[in-house]
């Protein structure tokens, strides 16, 4: 579960750079990436498209066998001249849903490549069988004379889902496109990505926006992935890399070109995050557990393997992992496996946390300071999504495994393999 996002609507315009000076006269150009960005980023921000039984003006031709269509209109591209794409969701009772997308934006929904649309059965309230559909389409979007294919992912909850009745006429969509390549700053080269989180198709931020939805990602620690915390920069705000403050200038609607602007004012430097992957050293800390004991991590776990588990009682995915973790603890605890929980519960949740850990048979110690995402240990480890576990060798302080290798069906095998190698 990731931190929540806040969305603000605003008009697009060219950034105002005041007394800035251009650091380089050369345009920076990142390669277009029509799809795959959502998987690379590991998160998305769903946008809502309202559907209606009324066919909108502009649609010229529809499939002849429509039975129960709902219509929508999606616009992407430069704010002053967006491309309009019509969407039809056909949902006859007792039959599979179908998605039609006017991918070439000509008003004819019979001459486009088939949209991706696949149903997944889910359980509703009182055991009712429901189906959630997901898919998407490549949309041919015009930027003046240039046309780019933008893959947009889409999904829709079952219209009979009682828990989501307010979404009965909503199609959700999110960006799967962006730009990627290498950029140079301060004599160093970083892999970069430019993304449009609210899927407008316009990479220009608003001139008066306090916060935009266009982000520049920089792999500052060169670990091959982008972190939301510390490697994601709002293109509407200045940022400091290597002691120099920059802003992004000259960004056009398609994100094809921009420049880095060196600014006379200084903001706090963003330093590369430590690489917290298997083989790296765990970051030491000292903290009080909810029992009042002092734990010095990882020194307190000499001779043992300890799983540092960031979680919270309010986190659904965390709760889903608990049965497996409890089973693994019971199986391997006598062989040198320990767990140290770090709860990201909010303030005044001590009693709730104590009751929850007791009810769910969680005998290991917990660190809790009531600071939610700002929990001290979570800040030390740059945690921006949970559950996030680390398996650490208490003797060497080395991270043995982290993330997905310690979740679900992978957990037992990872622990067993690590214990076999532990003296």
């Amino acid at each position: 579960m990731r931190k929540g996002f806040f969305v603000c609507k605003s008009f697009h315009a060219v950034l105002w750079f005041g007394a800035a000076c251009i650091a380089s006269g050369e345009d920076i150009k990142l390669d277009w990436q029509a799809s795959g960005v959502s998987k690379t980023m590991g998160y998305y921000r769903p946008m809502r498209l309202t559907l209606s039984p009324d066919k909108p003006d502009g649609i010229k031709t529809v499939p002849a066998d429509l039975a129960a269509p709902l219509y929508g209109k999606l616009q992407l591209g430069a704010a002053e001249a967006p491309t309009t794409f019509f969407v039809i969701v056909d949902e006859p009772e007792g039959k599979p849903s179908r998605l039609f997308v006017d991918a070439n934006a000509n008003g004819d929904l019979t001459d486009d490549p088939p949209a991706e649309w696949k149903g997944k059965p889910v359980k509703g309230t009182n055991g009712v069988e429901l189906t959630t559909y997901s898919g998407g389409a490549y949309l041919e979007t015009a930027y003046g004379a240039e046309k780019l294919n933008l893959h947009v992912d889409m999904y829709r909850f079952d219209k009979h889902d009682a828990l989501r009745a307010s979404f009965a006429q909503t199609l959700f969509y999110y960006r799967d496109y962006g730009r990627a390549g290498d950029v140079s700053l301060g004599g160093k080269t970083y892999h970069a990505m430019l993304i449009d989180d609210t899927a407008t198709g316009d990479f220009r931020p608003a001139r008066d926006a306090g916060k935009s939805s266009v982000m520049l990602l920089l792999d500052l620690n060169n670990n091959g992935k982008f972190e939301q915390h510390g490697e994601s920069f709002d293109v509407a705000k200045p940022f400091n890399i290597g002691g120099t403050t920059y802003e992004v200038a000259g960004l056009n609607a398609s994100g094809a070109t921009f420049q880095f602007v060196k600014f006379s004012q200084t903001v706090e430097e963003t330093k590369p995050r430590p690489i917290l992957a298997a083989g790296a050293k765990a970051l030491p800390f000292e903290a009080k557990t909810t029992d009042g004991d002092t734990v010095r991590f990882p020194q307190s776990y000499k001779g043992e393997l300890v799983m540092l588990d960031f979680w919270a009682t309010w986190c659904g995915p965390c709760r889903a992992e608990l049965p497996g973790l409890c089973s693994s603890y019971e199986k391997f605890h006598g062989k040198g496996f320990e767990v140290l929980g770090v709860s990201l519960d909010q303030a005044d949740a001590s009693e709730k946390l104590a009751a929850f850990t007791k009810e769910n048979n969680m005998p290991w110690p917990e660190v809790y300071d009531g600071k939610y995402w700002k929990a001290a240990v979570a800040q030390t480890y740059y945690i921006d999504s949970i559950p996030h576990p680390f398996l650490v060798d208490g003797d060497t302080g080395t991270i043995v495994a982290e993330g997905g290798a310690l979740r679900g069906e992978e957990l037992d095998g990872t622990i067993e393999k690590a214990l076999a190698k532990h003296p």
Side-chain angles (χ1 to χ4, degrees):
M1 182 171 293
R2 293 190 176 275
K3 294 183 182 180
F5 291 101
F6 298 89
V7 180
C8 298
K9 292 183 178 179
S10 56
F11 294 101
H12 288 79
V14 178
L15 280 174
W16 177 256
F17 294 102
C21 58
I22 300 295
S24 170
E26 296 183 2
D27 284 337
I28 295 167
K29 297 181 180 180
L30 300 179
D31 295 330
W32 180 248
Q33 189 169 328
S35 63
V37 168
S38 295
K39 183 177 180 179
T40 299
M41 297 311 304
Y43 80 92
Y44 61 88
R45 191 185 305 190
M47 311 304 296
R48 300 181 186 184
L49 179 65
T50 300
L51 302 174
S52 169
D54 300 321
K55 185 168 69 173
D57 294 336
I59 292 184
K60 300 173 183 176
T61 309
V62 300
D65 59 346
L66 294 179
L70 292 174
Y71 301 90
K73 184 170 70 172
L74 177 63
Q75 292 188 313
L76 292 174
E80 62 273 15
T83 304
T84 298
F85 303 94
F86 294 105
V87 175
I88 300 175
V89 178
D90 191 32
E91 296 179 327
E93 290 294 340
K95 294 183 179 181
S97 169
R98 296 185 298 168
L99 174 68
F100 301 92
V101 180
D102 183 21
N104 58 11
N106 67 350
D108 183 348
L109 284 94
T110 66
D111 65 350
D112 306 281
E116 307 137 24
W117 203 233
K118 186 176 182 180
K120 179 181 179 181
V122 296
K123 289 286 186 181
T125 55
N126 300 320
V128 175
E129 293 286 343
L130 301 172
T131 305
T132 295
Y133 282 86
S134 62
Y138 286 90
L139 307 181
E140 191 177 86
T141 305
Y143 294 91
E146 181 185 22
K147 289 188 177 181
L148 295 173
N149 277 322
L150 282 64
H151 190 267
V152 176
D153 287 330
M154 304 176 185
Y155 65 93
R156 175 159 164 76
F157 297 115
D158 196 304
K159 62 183 179 182
H160 298 301
D161 189 342
L163 294 178
R164 298 182 173 90
S166 61
F167 301 142
Q169 291 189 298
T170 302
L171 177 72
F172 291 91
Y173 66 96
Y174 55 94
R175 57 94 183 102
D176 191 37
Y177 56 86
R179 288 189 177 273
D182 293 332
V183 300
S184 294
L185 278 173
K188 293 185 178 180
T189 299
Y190 305 101
H191 188 58
M193 182 169 282
L194 188 67
I195 60 174
D196 160 32
D197 267 345
T198 51
T200 65
D202 193 325
F203 287 86
R204 298 169 297 177
R207 173 174 173 174
D208 58 351
K211 182 178 181 180
S212 80
S213 61
V214 182
M215 310 301 293
L216 176 68
L217 292 306
L218 298 172
D219 183 12
L220 298 182
N221 61 6
N222 291 308
N223 70 342
K225 60 182 180 180
F226 299 108
E227 311 288 352
Q228 282 183 259
H229 181 82
E231 294 188 339
S232 178
F233 303 93
D234 186 335
V235 298
K237 296 181 178 180
F239 57 93
N240 187 321
I241 303 295
T244 301
T245 299
Y246 303 93
E247 286 190 330
V248 174
L251 198 57
N252 65 2
S254 69
T257 60
F258 62 92
Q259 296 172 330
F260 286 122
V261 170
K262 194 177 293 185
F263 206 69
S264 57
Q265 299 177 10
T266 300
V267 299
E268 184 179 355
E269 181 180 355
T270 301
K271 295 183 179 180
R273 290 175 57 163
I275 297 176
L276 297 173
K281 291 292 185 181
L283 302 177
F285 63 86
E286 182 176 309
K288 288 279 188 182
T289 69
T290 53
D291 292 330
D293 297 326
T294 298
V295 61
R296 295 174 178 84
F297 189 87
Q299 298 95 313
S300 297
Y301 294 92
K302 293 289 186 183
E304 299 169 320
L305 287 173
V306 55
M307 179 167 151
L308 181 64
D309 186 32
F310 293 92
W311 73 291
T313 62
W314 49 259
C315 168
C318 302
R319 296 167 72 124
E321 294 291 328
L322 276 179
L325 178 55
C326 291
S327 174
S328 296
Y329 183 81
E330 184 176 349
K331 187 182 300 184
F332 298 111
H333 179 59
K335 299 178 181 179
F337 174 63
E338 293 286 349
V339 177
L340 175 62
V342 180
S343 167
L344 272 65
D345 279 274
Q346 300 187 49
D348 302 320
S350 296
E351 292 183 5
K352 177 183 178 181
L353 179 62
F356 185 93
T357 55
K358 183 177 180 180
E359 291 169 4
N360 288 275
N361 190 30
M362 302 164 64
W364 52 83
E366 296 286 343
V367 174
Y368 161 72
D369 61 14
K371 295 180 181 178
Y372 196 32
W373 289 104
K374 298 293 185 181
V377 182
Q379 291 288 290
T380 298
Y381 275 76
Y382 298 88
I383 298 300
D384 53 23
S385 66
I386 53 175
H388 197 144
F390 297 87
L391 186 62
V392 178
D393 185 323
D395 290 328
T396 65
T398 302
I399 297 173
V400 178
E402 65 94 23
L406 297 169
R407 296 182 62 180
E409 297 179 356
E410 300 289 326
L411 180 57
D412 272 7
T414 300
I415 296 172
E416 192 167 25
K417 185 177 179 180
L419 284 173
K421 295 180 178 180
H422 195 261

